[in-house]
Amino acid sequence: MNTVLAYSGGQDTSIAIKWLQENYKTEVITLTLEVGQNKSDLKQIKEKAERLGAVKTYSIDAREEFVKDYINPAIKANALYEGKYPVATAIARPLIGKWLVEIAKKENAQAVAHGATGKGNDQVRFELAIRSLNSELRIIAPAREWDLTRDAAVEYAKKYNIPLSSKTKYSIDENLWGRSIESGPLEDPMNKPEPDVYEWTTSPEKAPDKPEKIEIGFEKGVPVTLNNERINGVNLINRLNELAGEHGVGRIDMIEDRLVGIKSREIYECPAAITLLEAHRELERLTLTRDENLFKEMIDSKWAQLTYFGQWHEPLKEDLDAFINRSQEMVSGVVVIELYKGNARVVGRSSPHSLYDLGLATYDKGDKFEHKLAEGFLKYWGLPSEIAGRRKRGFA
Ligand code: ARG
């Protein structure tokens, strides 16, 4: 048997290589996707996998694809699960699933494997994505099966000379769109995160005392320029993670509802995501009609839920994507943002498709709005409520 394992190079997936060989008598092929995780040295990861007996290793730089097919749709959808979490980990899973299926086909493998546990959302995202693309493949989740306590895992790792990760205090996942941190002392919802939780952001107290102004340009809902210069998506996001991170932007501390029913305490660092989502939403406010803006909030919230719950290939999500893409036709223009002490605040916006009409909006001279007409409009706009009010008072 041949199994393709999604391999991060970390402690758990390293144990999984050995565990699969022992428990499933399978050859293990590893797949490591570069999606912008910090400090991942692909060469070292490859060597580690080989040392643990992987018969073949794949390292694939999927950053461009991640931006184009996963992050950009999330921007257009203003994706924030429960209004707060930019679904960073959630969007990378279906991409990894897709590559697992692809490599399995290429290698004629009968099974694929991932390192997610039985309590989280990630197992759902991996497995729904894999099954949507190939329902024949066997899916193995070692960490869900092996029943190893933390201590037993350490023993197992020692036995096979697997280096223990230094930051076992937290469980961390990273990609371009953000860094997710959970467990350890964070499990008490009253515990304020210690400074060692954060790696991408400066604390707002220590952030520069001067605001930094940046300008982001969008074309049809997709960010394409930074400070008037064209920049590719991967570079833009990396740059914004640095810039906004320095100003302490993008720290999120929340209680989150997982698909499996558990409430969990999550910390995120998403400087680029928070900045871009803020800018994009503001450009929509300028270029979409009132009805579009208000309706799209519902679509966006559903899109984030489906994504969070692993339903990347659910036809409803594709339907929503069609709506969202159509809605972005006019969402082009620039947004000026000030980064300052933990905030990314929009201070200016303009678009060739702006619906803002100064003549209608102004309270100064040049006002084109016909004030008198408001009287008649309000008479009939308020009529249903007026009649209902009269009924409440017994039509006296
Ligand atoms: N709670 C987040 C989610 O479900 C993040 C999970 C991150 N995984 C981790 N190993 N820390 O998307």
Side-chain angles (χ1 to χ4, degrees):
M1 179 161 132
N2 266 334
T3 304
V4 185
L5 167 71
Y7 182 59
S8 69
Q11 182 183 307
D12 283 357
T13 50
S14 294
I15 294 177
I17 297 180
K18 281 287 156 208
W19 188 91
L20 282 166
Q21 292 161 350
E22 279 185 352
N23 291 272
Y24 279 87
K25 311 283 172 241
T26 176
E27 305 277 23
V28 178
I29 297 161
T30 60
L31 165 66
T32 306
L33 277 203
E34 163 73 304
V35 284
Q37 54 277 51
N38 251 4
K39 293 182 202 129
S40 72
D41 182 337
L42 292 179
K43 195 164 153 262
Q44 254 176 3
I45 294 176
K46 187 182 171 67
E47 283 166 9
K48 196 167 173 187
E50 281 164 356
R51 197 164 48 69
L52 291 166
V55 290
K56 200 159 177 182
T57 60
Y58 282 87
S59 317
I60 290 160
D61 182 352
R63 286 174 302 173
E64 302 267 349
E65 183 183 10
F66 186 43
V67 171
K68 186 169 147 288
D69 297 338
Y70 298 80
I71 292 179
N72 286 344
I75 295 173
K76 294 188 214 176
N78 301 306
L80 290 172
Y81 177 68
E82 295 190 322
K84 269 182 109 164
Y85 164 43
V87 296
T89 296
I91 51 175
R93 300 317 193 188
L95 172 64
I96 298 170
K98 182 200 140 181
W99 276 98
L100 281 173
V101 170
E102 218 142 284
I103 300 300
K105 185 171 168 213
K106 192 166 162 205
E107 293 291 334
N108 256 321
Q110 298 77 26
V112 293
H114 62 77
T117 67
K119 284 177 84 169
N121 296 312
D122 288 331
Q123 54 174 346
V124 185
R125 298 162 183 156
F126 281 127
E127 296 188 24
L128 267 61
I130 292 161
R131 283 163 51 203
S132 300
L133 298 170
N134 182 341
S135 47
E136 304 300 309
L137 278 171
R138 176 160 182 190
I139 304 173
I140 308 172
R144 195 167 57 196
E145 282 181 41
W146 65 34
D147 233 359
L148 293 177
T149 60
R150 216 165 246 258
D151 290 342
V154 167
E155 276 313 303
Y156 199 95
K158 277 188 187 149
K159 183 169 154 203
Y160 290 106
N161 265 324
I162 296 167
L164 300 170
S165 48
S166 52
K167 270 211 173 176
T168 41
K169 206 162 148 197
Y170 306 110
S171 160
I172 295 165
D173 180 66
E174 285 179 347
N175 64 50
L176 283 170
W177 207 226
R179 182 164 181 269
S180 310
I181 310 108
E182 50 191 30
S183 75
L186 299 171
E187 285 176 357
D188 179 346
M190 275 297 274
N191 271 353
K192 181 178 168 181
E194 288 166 39
D196 68 350
V197 165
Y198 299 108
E199 276 187 10
W200 290 13
T201 52
T202 311
S203 87
E205 299 98 89
K206 293 195 183 129
D209 290 320
K210 265 208 180 144
E212 182 161 354
K213 219 178 249 183
I214 58 169
E215 188 187 281
I216 298 162
F218 288 83
E219 273 170 18
K220 298 191 177 181
V222 175
V224 291
T225 64
L226 177 63
N227 298 332
N228 274 316
E229 268 177 45
R230 262 198 118 74
I231 181 167
N232 97 346
V234 174
N235 294 340
L236 171 67
I237 291 164
N238 277 328
R239 190 79 196 95
L240 283 179
N241 274 331
E242 282 167 25
L243 272 177
E246 267 165 38
H247 287 274
V249 170
R251 290 188 173 186
I252 298 160
D253 181 336
M254 71 187 283
I255 296 292
E256 178 179 298
D257 288 293
R258 289 189 190 163
L259 179 69
V260 292
I262 300 171
K263 279 192 190 294
S264 66
R265 202 284 186 84
E266 304 283 331
I267 303 294
Y268 299 107
E269 293 186 279
C270 308
I274 291 303
T275 306
L276 288 170
L277 290 172
E278 195 60 33
H280 175 263
R281 186 71 191 91
E282 188 61 19
L283 195 57
E284 286 190 335
R285 291 192 181 97
L286 185 70
T287 54
L288 301 187
T289 65
R290 175 180 61 200
D291 278 308
E292 285 181 303
N293 274 317
L294 294 176
F295 187 75
K296 190 164 176 294
E297 278 177 15
M298 295 188 283
I299 302 298
D300 289 349
S301 143
K302 188 69 193 173
W303 192 98
Q305 279 170 39
L306 289 167
T307 299
Y308 182 87
F309 294 149
Q311 294 165 285
W312 187 258
H313 297 283
E314 157 64 44
L316 174 61
K317 192 188 136 291
E318 290 172 20
D319 300 340
L320 300 187
D321 275 322
F323 169 87
I324 291 168
N325 280 327
R326 175 62 184 79
S327 76
Q328 300 300 292
E329 284 295 313
M330 297 293 159
V331 187
S332 303
V334 298
V335 179
V336 182
I337 290 208
E338 247 175 35
L339 306 170
Y340 181 61
K341 299 270 181 206
N343 286 310
R345 213 150 24 91
V346 174
V347 295
R349 68 294 270 159
S350 90
S351 165
H353 311 303
S354 169
L355 295 173
Y356 182 86
D357 184 334
L358 182 62
L360 291 174
T362 187
Y363 285 97
D364 294 337
K365 63 174 181 309
D367 185 1
K368 291 186 304 193
F369 191 79
E370 295 183 65
H371 293 240
K372 282 196 304 290
L373 293 182
E375 197 181 322
F377 166 67
L378 291 193
K379 178 151 176 66
Y380 294 121
W381 172 245
L383 197 54
S385 304
E386 180 186 320
I387 297 169
R390 277 163 48 203
R391 179 179 64 187
K392 225 184 223 169
R393 295 187 299 277
F395 289 109

